[in-house]
């Protein structure tokens, strides 16, 4: 099975290798023009554009309305371009290829819009634009993941409801198809002037899923980061605690990028924590 997947990957890469060898990969973590239904009645739509600043720049993919296969196209100076306006939707994001050395002259912008239930008002979250120089190959950490609870109106014993749901996503930006990372989750609780670190969970995450076969679809793996309840009192049965997510490659030579999304269970507003 792995051999067949590797053969498919090689064939796909070979078809585009000559054209894309001088292009920089730019990861956009969410790409779709179609509304995506999430948990708790949430709805998500991502919007993204890039602007060529001073000169014409070639890019991939580009979807013409008359063809289904992506192709290389060219943006004129200062032309506003949306390379994904036509083509399959993607919940997991895409790789935009920009011609070197002009890729630094291109400004890329992306936003995720979320709604709660039937509410037509949209919350906007700016998405990180991850250029090839930002891809990682060693052990990294993601900070700023907070396990937070909302308390009920009752006295003791009170109820605690998680405010957020957290999801980890790790991208194999070279789409090798055989990659994996080890994920470790810790709590770092400050006490007596120092941080007390407690291991919570450790697991291996395969980066073997893909949404499509052309080079703009990265391989990825995703997992839920469970909320942590640290008992405190009957009034506040779960303390709010910061989580730290450590990621270490298993596969030699792999290049990856990771983020943790926090979706508010009440407003469906999305915030992101990711590698710096």
């Amino acid at each position: 099975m792995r051999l067949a997947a590797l053969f498919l990957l090689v064939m796909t890469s070979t078809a585009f290798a000559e054209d894309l060898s001088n292009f920089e990969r730019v990861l956009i973590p969410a790409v779709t023009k179609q509304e995506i239904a999430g948990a708790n009645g949430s709805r998500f739509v991502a919007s993204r554009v890039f602007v060529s600043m001073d000169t014409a720049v070639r890019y991939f993919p580009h979807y013409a309305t008359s063809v289904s296969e992506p192709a290389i196209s060219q943006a004129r100076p200062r032309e506003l371009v949306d390379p994904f306006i036509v083509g399959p939707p993607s919940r997991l994001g895409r790789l935009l290829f920009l011609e070197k050395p002009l890729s630094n002259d291109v400004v890329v912008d992306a936003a995720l819009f979320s709604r709660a239930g039937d509410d037509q008002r949209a919350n906007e979250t700016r998405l990180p634009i991850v250029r090839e120089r930002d891809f990682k190959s060693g052990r990294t950490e993601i900070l700023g993941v907070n396990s937070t609870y909302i308390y009920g109106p009752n006295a003791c014993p009170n109820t605690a409801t998680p405010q957020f749901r957290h999801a980890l996503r790790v991208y194999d930006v070279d789409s090798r198809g055989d990659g994996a990372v080890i994920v470790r989750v810790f709590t770092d609780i400050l006490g007596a002037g120092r941080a007390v670190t407690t291991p919570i969970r450790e697991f291996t995450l395969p980066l073997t899923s893909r949404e499509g076969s052309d080079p703009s679809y990265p391989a990825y793996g995703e997992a839920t980061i469970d909320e942590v309840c640290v008992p405190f009192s009957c009034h506040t049965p779960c303390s709010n605690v910061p989580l730290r997510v450590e990621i270490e490659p298993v596969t030699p030579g792999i290049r990856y990028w990771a983020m943790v999304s926090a979706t508010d269970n009440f407003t469906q507003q999305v915030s992101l924590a990711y590698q710096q």
Side-chain angles (χ1 to χ4, degrees), residues 25 88 103 126-127 156 169 240 245 262:
R25 291 175 173 87
S103 57
R126 308 310 300 174
L127 292 173
C156 297
R169 191 180 299 168
N240 299 335
V245 180

Side-chain angles (χ1 to χ4, degrees), residues 90-162:
S90 169
R91 180 178 67 89
L92 278 305
R94 302 286 287 278
L95 289 167
L96 175 63
F97 289 76
L98 299 173
E99 186 179 25
K100 301 175 182 178
L102 303 175
S103 57
N104 286 334
D105 298 328
V106 178
V107 175
V108 184
D109 180 71
L112 176 69
F113 297 92
S114 57
R115 298 181 176 91
D118 295 330
D119 195 343
Q120 295 302 310
R121 294 172 297 178
N123 297 309
E124 181 179 355
T125 302
R126 308 310 300 174
L127 292 173
I129 304 301
V130 191
R131 293 188 177 258
E132 202 150 346
R133 58 181 173 266
D134 300 317
F135 300 162
K136 307 297 182 181
S137 58
R139 185 183 65 84
T140 60
E141 293 181 339
I142 300 177
L143 306 177
V145 180
N146 297 310
S147 188
T148 307
Y149 286 85
I150 302 296
Y151 303 110
N154 301 321
C156 297
N158 208 337
T159 58
T161 302

Side-chain angles (χ1 to χ4, degrees), residues 4-276:
L6 182 61
F7 176 77
L8 176 61
L9 178 62
V10 169
M11 293 299 291
T12 302
S13 301
T14 302
F16 289 92
E18 183 178 354
D19 290 333
L20 298 178
S21 60
N22 195 38
F23 284 64
E24 178 190 16
R25 291 175 173 87
V26 180
L27 174 65
I28 303 175
V31 170
T32 182
K33 282 293 188 180
Q34 300 180 15
E35 199 166 76
I36 298 173
N40 297 346
S42 58
R43 297 174 291 149
F44 302 97
V45 174
S47 174
R48 63 269 148 257
V49 295
F50 74 87
V51 182
S52 174
M53 296 303 292
D54 297 314
T55 187
V57 176
R58 298 172 71 220
Y59 64 92
F60 173 89
H62 167 74
Y63 288 88
T65 57
S66 59
V67 298
S68 58
E69 294 298 321
I72 293 176
S73 189
Q74 181 166 296
R76 296 184 297 272
R78 299 190 179 276
E79 180 184 10
L80 185 68
V81 177
D82 184 345
F84 302 105
I85 193 168
V86 179
S90 169
R91 180 178 67 89
L92 278 305
R94 302 286 287 278
L95 289 167
L96 175 63
F97 289 76
L98 299 173
E99 186 179 25
K100 301 175 182 178
L102 303 175
S103 57
N104 286 334
D105 298 328
V106 178
V107 175
V108 184
D109 180 71
L112 176 69
F113 297 92
S114 57
R115 298 181 176 91
D118 295 330
D119 195 343
Q120 295 302 310
R121 294 172 297 178
N123 297 309
E124 181 179 355
T125 302
R126 308 310 300 174
L127 292 173
I129 304 301
V130 191
R131 293 188 177 258
E132 202 150 346
R133 58 181 173 266
D134 300 317
F135 300 162
K136 307 297 182 181
S137 58
R139 185 183 65 84
T140 60
E141 293 181 339
I142 300 177
L143 306 177
V145 180
N146 297 310
S147 188
T148 307
Y149 286 85
I150 302 296
Y151 303 110
N154 301 321
C156 297
N158 208 337
T159 58
T161 302
Q163 182 176 1
F164 300 103
R165 55 187 185 272
H166 290 99
L168 169 69
R169 191 180 299 168
V170 183
Y171 296 90
D172 167 10
V173 292
D174 294 312
S175 299
R176 293 173 45 154
D178 62 348
V181 296
I182 295 175
V183 179
R184 303 180 182 95
V185 182
F186 305 88
T187 60
D188 292 321
I189 301 176
L190 187 63
R194 65 185 183 89
V196 178
T197 298
T198 304
I200 298 299
R201 183 186 177 194
E202 178 177 324
F203 60 95
T204 298
L205 181 64
L207 310 182
T208 54
S209 299
R210 290 185 76 191
E211 288 187 309
S213 60
D214 78 59
S216 68
Y217 289 96
Y220 69 91
E222 58 181 343
T224 299
I225 302 297
D226 295 327
E227 308 306 299
V228 176
C229 177
V230 177
F232 185 71
S233 72
C234 64
H235 293 283
T236 54
C238 294
S239 297
N240 299 335
V241 295
L243 305 179
R244 174 167 51 92
V245 180
E246 180 183 280
I247 300 163
E248 183 173 2
V250 174
T251 310
I254 195 172
R255 297 192 305 167
Y256 71 95
W257 189 83
M259 71 177 189
V260 175
S261 62
T263 306
D264 193 299
N265 286 317
F266 301 92
T267 68
Q268 309 309 325
Q269 175 74 52
V270 178
S271 57
L272 301 174
Y274 48 88
Q275 300 161 339
Q276 299 294 332

